[in-house]
Amino acid sequence: MKKPIITSIFVIVIVLGFIFGSNLEIPYKYTAYIAVAILAFLDSLFGGIVSNMKNEFNMTVFVSGFFVNAVIAIFLVYLGQKLNVDIYLAAVIVFTTRLFTNLSIIRRLIIENIEENKKSKKE
């Protein structure tokens, strides 16, 4: 598949997820699982965007990273609930840190691309 098609699929899936998920009521006992799964998804999504912008995107790495991250994070939530300790907060902190790191890389790459386009127009 070509990159524009992959990007279009991602955008469509995200929009559909927001549309169908906005009216969904989640029982309280599952909220930690859902929160960690959403963070794992966002971490993989923004990591995929960064690698795509660097022309290093690999679908196998993207999909396996999402599932491995989600499984480990969900296991931490489960273990924490069994031990009555909020271990899942470690996953939340890691995913949030990586999310902001990827967002800063995306911002930097966009700015560099804009500056390169300005330089090429002047020449």
Side-chain angles (χ1 to χ4, degrees), residues 76 80-81 83-90:
L76 286 174
Q81 287 181 345
L83 296 173
N84 202 21
V85 177
D86 291 336
I87 297 174
Y88 77 94
L89 291 176

Side-chain angles (χ1 to χ4, degrees), residues 48-61:
I49 291 171
V50 167
S51 63
N52 188 30
M53 291 176 77
K54 291 181 175 181
N55 294 321
E56 300 171 354
F57 184 79
N58 183 333
M59 184 60 85
T60 305
V61 172

Side-chain angles (χ1 to χ4, degrees), residues 21 23-35 38:
N23 296 328
L24 192 64
E25 293 204 19
I26 301 167
Y28 179 74
K29 64 182 180 178
Y30 299 121
T31 55
Y33 293 100
I34 298 299
I38 289 171

Side-chain angles (χ1 to χ4, degrees), residues 15-28:
V15 169
L16 288 175
F18 280 122
I19 290 170
F20 291 116
S22 63
N23 296 328
L24 192 64
E25 293 204 19
I26 301 167
Y28 179 74

